[in-house]
């Protein structure tokens, strides 16, 4: 009776349930509460009593009949406890809830909404709580009837069942999930595009030309000062908001942003540090900050700002790429040119040479030129100052300079200047001799494939007519292959050393862009193991191998050479001229050079045909003999440079050019006497 009184208590104890969800308008916590507090114990007790009355029921093998029988008996007892509306709700949802058993309570644990009603499993609070819950259930059932009646009055064709509502909710959830995934995929794609553009922008910084130039010194520590950094950021955002303001028709704000932008540009100027800023920079930063705050309040749209910034990033990336191409073009152009000072030096020396009497034009110790027991060097150059550094650095670091013989070959234009310089500045006790390549009468087009090709119409068209760029950026890619040095036989004379020096056994070939730092006589005692060429290899794990220089899509190249074979460096090479003659190296060179008349095997130059000609005939020297990269690589290890016998300025940034890397120039300039009258008169200085 106490239980019944608790279920039918006075209206003063009634309250609305705050639960959500459930069956037919009843919150699930309500059904669970009723079941757990009242129905489950009653069913359990009823079941036990029925078992005691009907013991044969225990022998039934299937549990389903027992559960159904208990459920029917329990429902009979419940009718006396609940109102008709509650019983209808319980009966309608019996199929959804499953059999009335304690398993239902275990599978559907009570939620935190129990606490809404102050029930914490305390026995002394159950009666009051059940009273509230049942009354709420009755109210919700009556409200549901009214809503259904209203729907019927409105002639609604049908009312969605709970199952349909659940399915609809599931469909909506799936749509929302799919839309979220699509948005996420779009965001990921945008992020990938932005990251790719940023990486491309970073890649452009690998061009070392500007970094070591006097007009780009700030790149070493860009944006290191706070005010400069703030002003640059403000200018970027001002451009973004001005574009948005113009697009949205806010012309007053647009003009105000442009005005502040111009003021900031003038205040910033070329400054790279706070100390370089104009005194009005602080005022300009504050003014720009105010107008940007105003623009943000009126125009800020995250997606639109992102699009504008992305467009600016891509535009800047394209501009940097274009500037990089122009920089490459101009550096190639600068590498071809002769500085005014060196040109002046050559002209003055030439005039002085031809003013000398014939007897004063001869060098002493000419009997050493064919002595195979001395150390002979071959230097082919048209640059007087560069050749002088090679000779001076070799002699100054030689242990026995009187045993060194220098064979200099130049062209007709610089023949007088080269002779005059070394007549005025003899290399100490060493022997020197200067020749002109034009005096080698055996070097003609009938014998030399390169001369024959250079005289052909196709080669002239390649150099002087076809494919010439109309813009700086367009011509940067192939410009290096049109360098005038490829038209000069001085560059190809290295393949004719036995013809030039027929009485010598070994000779050390030196480029004119090297500096000697140690005694080189040890190279003559290196065992080449029957090879012709001794050189330092330049290949790493994946670069400077044969496939970098040769066209392996051509069957002649693919059949005869290994694409992974290691490349080596011209610039300091010890050649065994006896083995050269035995293996007919010049004949091998002629064969491949003739096959490359249409430049299908390799581009122009002497390294690719050198790799082919001396394939498997090159002995690798210790890397300390020859360190390369001072003409293009800013990261050469200083310890390697100091320990090297020869350092090589291979690349475009030659030490006699203005584009030379400042950090490497002292290795070259210390072998030049800038107080020489000829150098002073031509304004040549460090």
């Amino acid at each position: 009776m106490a239980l019944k009184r608790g279920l039918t208590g006075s209206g003063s104890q009634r309250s609305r349930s705050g639960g959500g969800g459930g069956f037919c308008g009843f919150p699930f916590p309500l059904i669970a509460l009723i079941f757990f507090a009242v129905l489950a114990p009653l069913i359990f007790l009823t079941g036990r009593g029925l078992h005691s009355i009907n013991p044969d029921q225990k022998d039934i093998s299937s549990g389903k009949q027992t559960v159904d029988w208990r459920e029917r008996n329990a429902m009979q007892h419940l009718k006396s406890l609940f109102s008709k509306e509650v019983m209808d709700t319980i009966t309608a949802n019996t199929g959804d809830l499953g059999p009335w058993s304690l398993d239902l309570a275990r599978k559907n644990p009570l939620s935190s909404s129990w606490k809404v009603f102050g029930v914490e499993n305390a026995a002394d609070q159950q009666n009051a709580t059940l009273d509230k819950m049942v009354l709420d259930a009755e109210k919700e059932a009556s409200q549901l009837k009214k809503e259904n009646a209203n729907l019927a009055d409105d002639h609604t064709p049908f009312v969605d069942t709970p199952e349909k509502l659940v399915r609809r909710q599931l469909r909506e959830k799936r749509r929302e999930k799919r839309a979220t995934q699509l948005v996420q995929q779009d965001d990921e794609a945008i992020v990938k595009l932005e990251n790719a553009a940023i990486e491309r922008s970073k890649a452009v910084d690998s061009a070392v030309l500007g970094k070591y130039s006097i007009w780009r010194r700030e790149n070493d520590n860009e944006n290191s000062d706070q005010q400069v950094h703030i002003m640059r950021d403000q200018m970027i955002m001002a451009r973004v908001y001005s574009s948005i303001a113009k697009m949205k028709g806010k012309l007053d704000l647009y003009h105000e942003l442009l005005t502040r932008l111009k003021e900031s540009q003038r205040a910033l100027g070329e400054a790279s540090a706070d100390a370089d800023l104009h005194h009005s920079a602080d005022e300009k930063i504050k003014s720009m900050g105010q107008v940007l705050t105003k623009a943000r309040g009126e125009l800020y749209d995250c997606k639109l700002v992102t699009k504008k910034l992305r467009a600016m990033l891509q535009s800047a990336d394209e501009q940097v790429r274009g500037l990089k191409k122009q920089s490459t073009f101009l550096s190639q152009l600068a590498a071809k040119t002769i500085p005014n000072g060196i040109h002046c030096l050559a002209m003055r020396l030439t005039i002085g040479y031809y003013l000398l009497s014939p007897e004063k034009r001869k060098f002493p110790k000419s009997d050493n030129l064919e002595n195979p027991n001395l150390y002979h060097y071959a230097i082919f150059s048209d640059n007087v100052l560069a050749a002088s550094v090679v000779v001076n650095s070799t002699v100054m670091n030689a242990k026995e300079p009187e045993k060194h013989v220098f064979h200099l070959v130049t062209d007709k234009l610089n023949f007088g200047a080269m002779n005059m310089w070394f007549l005025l500045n003899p290399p100490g006790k060493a022997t020197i001799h200067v020749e002109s390549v034009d005096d080698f009468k055996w070097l003609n087009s009938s014998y030399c494939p390169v001369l024959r090709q250079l005289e052909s119409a196709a080669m002239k068209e390649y150099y002087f007519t076809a494919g010439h760029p109309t813009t700086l950026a367009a011509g940067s890619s192939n410009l290096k292959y049109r360098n005038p040095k490829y038209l000069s036989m001085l560059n190809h004379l290295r393949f004719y050393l036995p013809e030039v020096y027929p009485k010598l056994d070994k000779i050390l070939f030196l480029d004119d862009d090297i500096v000697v730092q140690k005694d080189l006589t040890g190279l003559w005692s290196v065992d080449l193991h029957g090879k012709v060429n001794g050189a330092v290899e330049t290949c790493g794990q994946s670069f400077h191998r044969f496939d970098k220089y040769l066209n392996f899509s051509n069957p002649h190249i693919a059949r005869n050479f290994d694409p992974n074979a290691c490349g080596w460096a011209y610039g300091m090479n010890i050649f065994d001229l006896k083995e050269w003659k035995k293996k007919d190296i010049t004949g091998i060179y002629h064969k491949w050079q003739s096959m490359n008349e249409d430049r299908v095997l390799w581009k122009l130059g002497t390294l690719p045909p050198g790799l082919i000609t001396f394939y498997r005939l090159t002995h690798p020297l210790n890397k300390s003999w020859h360190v390369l990269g001072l003409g293009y690589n800013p990261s050469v290890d200083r310890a390697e440079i100091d320990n090297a016998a020869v350092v090589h300025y291979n690349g475009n940034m030659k030490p006699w050019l203005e584009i030379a890397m400042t950090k490497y120039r002292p290795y070259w300039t210390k072998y030049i006497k800038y107080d020489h009258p000829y150098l002073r008169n031509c304004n040549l200085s460090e």
Side-chain angles (χ1 to χ4, degrees):
M1 294 300 293
L3 176 62
K4 188 171 183 179
R5 282 195 303 272
L7 293 172
T8 58
S10 64
S12 62
Q13 296 176 345
R14 299 175 184 178
S15 64
R16 291 287 298 172
S17 170
F23 302 93
C24 297
F26 285 91
F28 184 81
L30 172 63
I31 301 299
L33 178 64
I34 296 172
F35 175 78
F36 189 81
V38 181
L39 302 185
L42 184 59
I43 294 170
F44 180 74
L45 294 174
T46 306
R48 290 190 61 182
L50 292 172
H51 269 289
S52 63
I53 296 171
N54 193 8
D56 294 337
Q57 188 69 28
K58 297 180 180 180
D59 300 329
I60 298 175
S61 59
S62 173
K64 184 176 186 306
Q65 295 179 3
T66 303
V67 173
D68 292 343
W69 180 71
R70 290 179 182 178
E71 182 177 322
R72 287 195 302 272
N73 280 278
M75 293 298 292
Q76 292 296 328
H77 287 278
L78 290 174
K79 287 180 180 179
S80 62
L81 298 176
F82 294 96
S83 64
K84 184 176 182 303
E85 289 81 5
V86 175
M87 289 304 302
D88 290 342
T89 302
I90 294 173
T91 304
N93 292 281
T94 300
D96 294 333
L97 288 171
W100 292 94
S101 67
L102 290 176
D103 291 337
L104 176 63
R106 296 190 190 102
K107 294 178 182 178
N108 298 281
L110 298 180
S111 68
S112 60
S113 58
W114 279 81
K115 297 181 182 180
V116 174
F117 309 103
V119 178
E120 301 281 347
N121 292 329
D124 57 351
Q125 295 179 2
Q126 286 183 0
N127 291 337
T129 303
L130 289 172
D131 178 56
K132 294 178 182 179
M133 298 297 291
V134 172
L135 292 174
D136 277 341
E138 291 177 353
K139 280 188 177 182
E140 290 191 13
S142 61
Q143 183 66 26
L144 181 62
K145 287 184 179 181
K146 290 180 181 180
E147 291 175 357
N148 290 337
N150 292 335
L151 290 173
D153 294 338
D154 294 337
H155 304 288
T156 305
F158 62 91
V159 178
D160 286 343
T161 62
E163 292 80 3
K164 289 184 178 180
L165 289 173
V166 171
R167 285 197 296 271
R168 183 181 299 168
Q169 292 174 357
L170 290 175
R171 283 195 299 270
E172 291 176 355
K173 288 180 180 179
R174 283 197 297 269
R175 291 193 190 100
E176 291 176 359
K177 184 178 180 181
R178 179 59 179 164
T180 303
Q181 290 175 348
L182 291 174
V183 171
Q184 184 178 2
Q185 290 175 1
D186 184 53
D187 292 341
E188 291 174 354
I190 291 172
V191 171
K192 287 180 179 179
L193 288 173
E194 292 173 350
N195 291 338
I198 292 170
E199 291 301 321
R200 287 197 300 272
S201 300
K202 289 179 180 178
V204 176
D205 294 338
S206 63
V208 296
L209 174 61
K211 190 172 182 180
Y212 290 91
S213 300
I214 57 174
W215 58 87
R216 289 281 302 279
R217 283 176 297 182
E218 72 275 12
N219 282 359
D220 290 338
N221 196 11
E222 193 171 3
N223 289 344
S224 59
D225 288 66
Q226 185 178 9
Q227 284 187 310
V228 172
H229 184 77
I230 291 173
M231 292 189 74
R232 289 177 178 174
D233 287 348
Q234 284 183 336
M235 289 164 64
I236 291 172
M237 293 310 300
R239 292 188 181 97
V240 172
Y241 283 128
S242 64
S243 176
I244 297 175
K246 185 177 181 181
M247 181 179 66
K248 293 189 174 183
K250 295 183 177 294
L251 298 181
D252 292 341
L253 184 56
Y254 168 72
H255 291 299
E256 186 177 0
L257 284 165
L258 288 185
T259 302
R260 298 303 180 195
L261 183 59
K262 291 178 181 178
E263 292 176 354
S264 295
Q265 287 174 337
R266 285 194 294 268
L268 181 61
E270 298 295 327
S272 59
D274 287 355
D276 301 330
L277 287 173
H278 191 265
H279 60 81
S280 63
D282 288 335
E283 181 184 347
K284 303 304 179 187
I285 290 174
K286 292 178 182 178
S287 301
M288 178 64 86
Q290 292 172 356
V291 72
L292 286 177
T293 303
K294 178 181 177 182
R296 178 182 174 87
E298 296 184 19
L299 303 172
Y300 184 75
D301 182 336
C302 183
K303 290 185 177 180
L304 191 56
V305 170
T306 302
K307 288 180 180 179
K308 293 293 182 182
L309 287 172
R310 189 184 304 119
M312 289 176 62
L313 178 63
Q314 292 174 349
S315 175
D317 183 53
E318 291 300 321
Q319 290 179 7
V320 170
R321 286 173 179 272
L323 291 173
K324 184 181 178 182
K325 289 181 179 179
Q326 292 184 12
S327 174
T328 303
F329 180 92
L330 293 173
S331 65
Q332 295 283 354
L333 188 62
K336 292 183 189 181
T337 59
I338 299 175
N340 289 336
I342 295 179
H343 182 71
C344 165
L345 176 64
M347 294 299 100
R348 287 178 178 268
L349 288 170
T350 300
I351 294 171
Y353 176 76
Y354 287 107
L355 291 176
L356 292 176
S357 59
E359 60 272 12
K360 292 184 179 180
R361 298 179 186 176
K362 296 180 180 179
F363 290 99
K365 297 187 271 188
S366 59
D367 54 331
N368 289 339
L369 297 177
E370 296 181 350
N371 186 350
N373 298 320
L374 300 178
Y375 304 111
H376 293 265
Y377 300 84
I379 304 170
F380 306 147
S381 174
D382 58 358
N383 188 324
V384 176
L385 199 61
S388 72
V389 170
V390 177
V391 174
N392 290 344
S393 62
T394 305
V395 172
M396 290 177 67
N397 291 285
K399 295 178 181 178
E400 299 176 293
E402 67 276 5
K403 293 184 179 180
H404 294 260
V405 181
F406 296 91
H407 301 267
L408 272 149
V409 181
T410 187
D411 54 18
K412 185 183 294 185
L413 181 65
N414 293 281
F415 177 74
M418 199 75 72
N419 275 280
M420 188 63 183
W421 177 263
F422 288 104
L423 286 170
L424 293 173
N425 306 280
K429 298 179 180 180
T431 302
I432 194 164
H433 180 60
V434 179
E435 296 178 274
S436 172
V437 68
D438 300 289
D439 293 336
F440 300 147
K441 301 303 179 184
W442 51 267
L443 197 62
N444 50 57
S445 57
S446 61
Y447 174 65
C448 178
V450 171
L451 278 175
R452 185 168 61 251
Q453 292 167 9
L454 291 176
E455 293 174 359
S456 67
M459 187 67 73
K460 291 178 181 178
E461 183 182 2
Y462 177 75
Y463 268 98
F464 304 111
T465 306
H468 274 217
T470 57
T471 64
L472 290 177
S476 60
S477 59
N478 293 323
L479 182 65
K480 63 180 180 179
Y481 298 118
R482 294 184 170 89
N483 197 309
K485 71 179 182 179
Y486 298 134
L487 295 173
S488 172
M489 274 310 298
L490 282 177
N491 199 44
H492 296 270
L493 194 61
R494 63 192 68 190
F495 293 105
Y496 300 95
L497 288 173
E499 284 87 343
V500 181
Y501 311 108
K503 298 200 177 168
L504 300 181
D505 296 333
K506 280 189 176 182
I507 195 165
L508 184 64
F509 172 79
L510 296 177
D511 265 342
D512 64 354
D513 57 350
I514 64 103
V515 174
V516 178
Q517 301 186 126
K518 294 182 179 181
D519 182 70
L520 300 180
T521 55
L523 288 169
W524 274 263
S525 60
V526 172
D527 186 1
L528 298 181
H529 301 282
K531 304 294 179 63
V532 180
N533 174 26
V536 170
E537 293 182 335
T538 58
C539 63
Q541 293 182 353
S542 61
F543 57 94
H544 288 187
R545 296 185 182 272
F546 270 45
D547 58 354
K548 175 180 174 63
Y549 305 100
L550 304 176
N551 178 19
F552 275 86
S553 63
N554 186 283
H556 295 293
I557 297 295
R559 280 197 305 265
N560 292 280
F561 304 101
D562 179 8
N564 293 316
C566 193
W568 45 268
Y570 261 133
M572 190 212 70
N573 307 79
I574 184 72
F575 289 110
D576 187 333
L577 300 183
K578 286 185 177 180
E579 289 294 328
W580 185 306
K581 295 172 187 176
K582 288 180 183 178
K583 294 179 170 60
D584 190 21
I585 297 299
T586 303
I588 296 173
Y589 165 70
H590 282 175
K591 169 193 168 184
W592 287 103
Q593 189 67 52
S594 299
M595 294 173 62
N596 194 47
E597 185 170 358
D598 296 329
R599 299 176 302 281
V600 295
L601 305 184
W602 68 85
K603 296 289 186 181
L604 295 178
T606 53
L607 181 57
L611 296 176
I612 288 178
T613 302
F614 295 99
Y615 182 58
R616 295 180 178 172
L617 295 173
T618 299
H619 174 74
L621 299 176
N622 189 290
K623 292 185 180 296
S624 63
W625 280 110
H626 187 189
V627 170
L628 300 100
L630 277 67
Y632 72 90
N633 183 7
S635 303
V636 181
D637 189 0
R638 183 59 63 93
E640 288 185 8
I641 297 175
D642 294 337
N643 190 47
V646 169
V647 292
H648 194 170
Y649 292 84
N650 58 314
N652 290 328
M653 300 178 192
K654 304 298 184 186
W656 55 84
L657 299 176
E658 291 185 2
I659 62 173
M661 285 184 271
T662 307
K663 60 190 291 189
Y664 297 144
R665 280 194 98 232
Y667 294 100
W668 187 80
T669 56
K670 72 178 181 179
Y671 294 104
I672 299 176
K673 296 180 179 179
Y674 285 99
D675 58 349
H676 194 284
Y678 276 91
L679 272 61
R680 287 204 311 268
N681 292 336
C682 291
N683 296 322
L684 284 168
S685 61
E686 294 185 63

